[in-house]
Amino acid sequence: MKWNEVKVETASEVVEAVANILMEAGASGVAIEDALDIENFQSDQYGEILNKEDFTYLKEGAIVMAYFPETIFLPEIVPFIKERVTKLPEYGLAIGKNSVTASEVEESNWATAWKKYYHPVRITRMLTIVPSWENYQTNDPLEKIITLDPGMAFGTGTHPTTSLTLQVLETVLRGGETVLDVGTGSGVLSIASKYLGAKDVYAYDLDEVAVRSAKENMDMNEVAKDVHVAANDLLKGIEIESDVIVANILADIILLMIPDAWRLLKQTGSLIVSGIIEDKKQMVIDAMETQGFVVEQIFQQKDWYAIILKKPEVE
């Protein structure tokens, strides 16, 4: 079967937003090449990482590639994609080069091409993400292996926003918590939460593709098979009082969930938000403080921020 590839050259900041636009347009899958992902493939304190000199990689920005069956009429789809991406700056998002191109590819080429970018990576002291097609063994009793197939969802663990959030979860979780994972994507944060001792984890995403992918990834990790995964618009309609709420999503979307996060977070709980760029950081903090939250700690990796927020202590 022949497939059509639509390639969007854009900025790292909007890869998930662009990927969502492409999936909404009817794509059967997406692949992402992000210069920021490759920057993370360097030796660090956590273990063996790829040598960047061993392969070619994107030096700047990002490319989001989507694949449509030949039965879909691209002349109708491409203008829709261009229009939606071009409107992203209205939300304060940089879109970089903003080039949209289409070409024909064989199924065998796209189905496996993106796999060369994903290899076992130790993200934190305890957490290592391993693609489902890799055979990885560890001799470290502290190392927890998250098996993941990142093919059609978002959040592989290598992007700064995801690795930041994983580090924060390792800081916050002590065991026995109820966790809400908002915008779960691939489900990696929910799986990590279970490995870090959370008792009950509820994962939500608005995108049905992400929900299906997250469920499949949960099933590949025995510890996470009891995670509740469902489609939902942020925290609307949810009534689960939680010790930890975690959201690795765009800053402008984080603002929409603040009242519900305040309503559902226990007095002693922690709200973790990530996916925030420098230009949006103060906007998020101001909105949180207006609601009543107090900033406990701010984490930074490259140009991205994650923030831990608490409710003020009751005297």
Side-chain angles (χ1 to χ4, degrees):
M1 180 177 181
K2 292 186 180 298
W3 292 74
N4 292 310
E5 177 189 76
V6 175
K7 180 183 296 184
V8 182
E9 296 182 61
T10 187
S12 298
E13 177 184 348
V14 293
V15 290
E16 293 191 7
V18 172
N20 274 317
I21 290 170
L22 292 166
M23 295 304 290
E24 288 174 4
S28 296
V30 296
I32 298 171
E33 295 183 30
D34 190 342
L36 291 183
D37 281 355
I38 303 302
E39 285 182 20
N40 289 335
F41 289 138
Q42 302 176 42
S43 296
D44 61 21
Q45 60 181 312
Y46 298 119
E48 183 177 330
I49 309 296
L50 286 178
N51 181 354
K52 293 195 296 183
E53 302 305 319
D54 291 341
F55 58 95
T56 59
Y57 59 93
L58 198 62
K59 304 298 193 298
E60 182 179 6
I63 298 175
V64 184
M65 293 155 285
Y67 299 93
F68 298 83
E70 58 185 342
T71 52
I72 290 182
F73 188 54
L74 277 192
E76 291 181 352
I77 299 298
V78 172
F80 166 81
I81 294 169
K82 288 181 177 179
E83 179 183 3
R84 291 288 303 281
V85 174
T86 302
K87 285 184 176 180
L88 290 177
E90 296 178 10
Y91 300 94
L93 302 171
I95 56 176
K97 186 176 180 180
N98 190 26
S99 168
V100 180
T101 57
S103 59
E104 187 178 281
V105 294
E106 296 290 341
E107 181 175 15
S108 59
N109 293 336
W110 77 262
T112 58
W114 49 270
K115 290 185 177 182
K116 65 183 178 182
Y117 295 103
Y118 300 116
H119 298 266
V121 180
R122 194 160 186 173
I123 301 295
T124 72
R125 181 175 61 90
M126 294 180 62
L127 300 171
T128 295
I129 295 178
V130 178
S132 58
W133 58 87
E134 291 271 0
N135 182 19
Y136 180 84
Q137 304 294 326
T138 178
N139 295 318
D140 184 348
L142 291 178
E143 188 176 9
K144 308 298 183 184
I145 307 302
I146 299 175
T147 303
L148 205 67
D149 185 343
M152 288 181 63
F154 321 112
T156 63
T158 59
H159 194 277
T161 63
T162 310
S163 59
L164 259 181
T165 316
L166 290 168
Q167 291 166 32
V168 176
L169 282 171
E170 191 170 292
T171 300
V172 169
L173 292 175
R174 292 292 178 266
E177 295 91 351
T178 295
V179 176
L180 299 183
D181 177 9
V182 187
T184 191
S186 65
V188 62
L189 301 181
S190 290
I191 299 168
S193 295
K194 292 295 290 186
Y195 269 124
L196 295 170
K199 180 182 179 182
D200 299 306
V201 179
Y202 300 83
Y204 301 109
D205 204 294
L206 186 61
D207 191 314
E208 290 285 357
V209 172
V211 170
R212 290 197 301 271
S213 179
K215 287 179 178 177
E216 291 170 0
N217 285 325
M218 304 300 174
D219 289 341
M220 285 191 285
N221 294 268
E222 185 67 31
V223 72
K225 286 188 175 181
D226 63 347
V227 172
H228 174 80
V229 187
N232 200 74
D233 185 358
L234 300 176
L235 291 171
K236 294 177 182 178
I238 304 300
E239 299 293 340
I240 302 167
E241 192 178 26
S242 306
D243 300 288
V244 175
I245 298 174
V246 58
N248 177 26
I249 50 182
L250 294 173
D252 295 272
I253 307 302
I254 288 172
L255 300 184
L256 301 177
M257 59 168 276
I258 292 176
D260 284 322
W262 177 268
R263 174 176 59 87
L264 296 173
L265 190 69
K266 293 180 181 179
Q267 184 62 43
T268 56
S270 297
L271 171 61
I272 302 167
V273 292
S274 185
I276 303 165
I277 59 171
E278 173 71 43
D279 291 346
K280 301 284 186 177
K281 182 181 69 171
Q282 195 57 49
M283 175 189 73
V284 172
I285 291 174
D286 289 346
M288 290 290 184
E289 291 179 340
T290 297
Q291 179 67 58
F293 283 110
V294 176
V295 174
E296 181 178 71
Q297 197 169 354
I298 298 175
F299 294 74
Q300 179 181 3
Q301 184 174 334
K302 302 189 185 300
D303 298 324
W304 299 92
Y305 292 85
I307 306 172
I308 303 177
L309 302 117
K310 310 276 284 189
K311 289 183 174 180
E313 294 183 6
V314 177
E315 299 181 358

